[in-house]
Amino acid sequence: MAFRINVKTKAPASGLSKGKNILEDIRVFAVLMLIACAGLIAFIVLGFQHIDDTNAEIKKEMKTYQESQLSIANLKALQSKSEEYEAQRDAYNAMIPESLDQQQIMIEMETRTESMNCVLTDISFGSESADEKKGNAAASSGLVNQMQVQISVRGSYTDIMRLAESLVTDEELMRVDAIRITPMSQNGLKEAQITIMKFSKL
């Protein structure tokens, strides 16, 4: 008769197995934490770098904006001055005409004498001034064209002098080189020969 002996194998201690599992879990957790920290540090570094780049871009844009604002301010200042410049240009154009036309000068002198209660009796034109004949450097500087105009007028002494004053104070640049007044027998009127120098642009 045979006997069967049941040998029971010992199960491994569950406590040891659990200890190993916990240790492995801690190592895995530590590794994960290290990876997470490294990722977080990298993210923070990249974030700061992006912030620096953004700040640099903002400063660049601010500088461009300030330059644009300065340009706009300069344009506005120039625009506000444009009317003044145009007025100066118009005054200069009125002071020195583009050209000298004898027919226009004849009409102008007749209108001027009539407005001063004088009568224009004669007008003649010369090609150069007395200063040029003397070799005056200022008169022959070549900056403007010159034309000598001699007029003979009749009127009272006061009206003749008013006419001469209107010539030298006109917005157009003119020069009175000589006035010769001779009395007339009738009604106290006088006759005057006025030598005028007119100018135009080259």
Side-chain angles (χ1 to χ4, degrees):
M1 187 173 171
F3 293 94
R4 183 179 292 178
I5 300 172
N6 292 328
V7 180
K8 294 184 179 177
T9 57
K10 270 189 174 179
S14 61
L16 182 61
S17 174
K18 288 181 180 178
K20 287 182 179 179
N21 288 338
I22 290 172
L23 186 60
E24 287 177 2
D25 290 344
I26 290 173
R27 287 177 182 173
V28 170
F29 179 75
V31 170
L32 291 175
M33 286 299 294
L34 286 173
I35 293 171
C37 288
L40 183 61
I41 291 170
F43 179 76
I44 291 171
V45 170
L46 290 174
F48 278 120
Q49 184 177 359
H50 181 69
I51 290 171
D52 290 341
D53 293 342
T54 304
N55 288 335
E57 191 67 26
I58 289 171
K59 287 180 181 178
K60 182 180 177 181
E61 293 298 326
M62 284 293 295
K63 184 178 180 182
T64 304
Y65 174 77
Q66 290 173 353
E67 290 174 352
S68 299
Q69 289 294 105
L70 183 61
S71 298
I72 291 170
N74 290 336
L75 285 173
K76 287 182 177 179
L78 184 61
Q79 185 179 9
S80 66
K81 288 285 186 181
S82 63
E83 292 183 3
E84 181 180 342
Y85 296 147
E86 288 175 2
Q88 291 176 355
R89 180 200 61 195
D90 294 342
Y92 174 72
N93 290 337
M95 183 181 295
I96 303 179
E98 292 291 337
S99 61
L100 295 171
D101 182 79
Q102 291 186 3
Q103 187 174 359
Q104 289 295 325
I105 293 172
M106 290 172 67
I107 295 171
E108 173 197 349
M109 291 303 163
E110 187 159 359
T111 303
R112 283 180 182 277
T113 53
E114 286 179 0
S115 67
M116 296 298 169
N117 297 323
C118 297
V119 178
L120 179 66
T121 59
D122 187 38
I123 183 168
S124 61
F125 299 94
S127 59
E128 61 181 8
S129 69
D131 286 340
E132 284 177 320
K133 290 176 182 177
K134 294 175 184 176
N136 188 307
S140 58
S141 62
L143 298 177
V144 291
N145 290 323
Q146 304 181 47
M147 180 183 288
Q148 188 181 73
V149 182
Q150 292 179 329
I151 59 173
S152 296
V153 297
R154 188 179 299 151
S156 68
Y157 177 82
T158 302
D159 292 337
I160 291 171
M161 294 310 294
R162 285 174 57 232
L163 173 62
E165 182 182 3
S166 73
L167 291 169
V168 295
T169 58
D170 192 82
E171 62 178 1
E172 180 185 343
L173 181 63
M174 288 182 282
R175 188 179 73 220
V176 174
D177 284 347
I179 301 177
R180 186 165 59 88
I181 300 176
T182 56
M184 296 179 65
S185 58
Q186 53 179 357
N187 301 326
L189 295 177
K190 301 185 183 301
E191 189 166 15
Q193 285 75 43
I194 304 175
T195 303
I196 305 161
M197 188 63 63
K198 289 180 72 72
F199 305 94
S200 70
K201 296 175 184 175
L202 288 173

